[in-house]
Amino acid sequence: MADLSSFPITQRWPATNPDVIQLYSFPTPNGVKVSIALEELGLPYEAHKVTLADEDVKSDAFLSLNPNNKIPAIVDPDGPGGAPIGLWESGAILIYLAEKTGKLIPGDAAGKYETIQWLMFQMGGIGPMFGQLGFFHKFAGRDIEDPRPRERYVNEANRLLKVLEQRLEGREWIMGDLYTIADIAIFPWVRGLKVFYEAGDLVGLTDMPNVNRWLDAAIARPPSEKGLNIPDRNG
C-alpha cells in the first residue's frame, strides 16, 4: 500500500485507497478536464471535492499541495520512478497523464508539440478570456457601467472561437482523427461559455458550425458525460 503521509492534503481529504490517483477538484471547466481525462484513460482514481470557498482552497491542507490555491490538483502514488508525485495546474496534469499512459497525445514529437500548442491556446487564451467575459456578462462585473471591459472580452472570445472554428474545418477533432488532451482542455470552456455563462449568442457561437459539431461530439463521449459531474458538487 502506498504511503501518502508526506502529503498533508491527505489528512484533510483522506485516501480510501492510497494506491490510486487522488484527485482534488470541483466541477468547473478547469476541474473537469482532469476527471474527463482520467475517465478516458481508464485510470483508477478517487475524487475529493474541494470547493472554491476559502475554507477549502485556501486551507493549509490544500495549499500544501497547490500554493496557488486553485483546483484541480492530484497526487499520483505511482509517479516517475515509482515514487509518489503531487501536481497542480490542469494543463500540466493533462500532459503528465497523457505521457504516463501514452494516450490522448500523438506518439510522434511533432504531433505531441502541436497538441501541446493547442493546449496552451486554451490555457493562455480561452480560459482567461472566457472567464473574464463570464464575470462581466453574468456576475458582479455586469454592474459596471463602463461598457468597454465587457466589449473587450466579448470581442476577444469571438476572435478565439473563430480561430477554433478555422482549425476544425475538415477535422473531426483538433488534431484530426485523434481525440487528445487539447480537445479535453478546450471543450469544457466552450460548453461553459454556452451553458453556464449563457453567452453563446453574444459571442457568435451560433454562427460557428464546426465548433458546435465538435462540441456536441465531445460532450457525447461517455467519459465526458461522467467526468463533467466529478466530483459531485452536491455530494
Side-chain angles (χ1 to χ4, degrees), residues 134-150:
F135 175 78
F136 284 102
H137 175 63
K138 186 172 181 177
F139 297 110
R142 64 185 176 183
D143 296 328
I144 297 174
E145 294 183 2
D146 188 339
R148 288 173 293 181
R150 180 175 179 271

Side-chain angles (χ1 to χ4, degrees), residues 155-209:
N155 292 337
E156 183 63 4
N158 174 263
R159 187 191 70 80
L160 291 165
L161 285 168
K162 285 179 177 177
V163 173
L164 185 59
E165 174 73 9
Q166 182 179 26
R167 173 65 181 185
L168 289 167
E169 180 67 34
R171 291 183 173 89
E172 181 179 9
W173 306 110
I174 290 172
M175 289 299 296
D177 295 335
L178 182 65
Y179 185 72
T180 70
I181 55 174
D183 300 287
I184 292 173
I186 296 173
F187 95 76
W189 275 102
V190 180
R191 173 182 176 269
L193 184 71
K194 180 179 179 180
V195 176
F196 183 64
Y197 293 146
E198 300 174 335
D201 291 343
L202 180 67
V203 299
L205 183 58
T206 52
D207 298 324
M208 299 183 185

Side-chain angles (χ1 to χ4, degrees), residues 84-103:
I85 185 174
L87 286 173
W88 48 280
E89 276 295 340
S90 58
I93 296 171
L94 288 178
I95 294 171
Y96 170 75
L97 293 174
E99 292 191 333
K100 176 184 176 75
T101 60
K103 299 177 181 178

Side-chain angles (χ1 to χ4, degrees), residues 41 75 141:
L41 294 168
V75 171

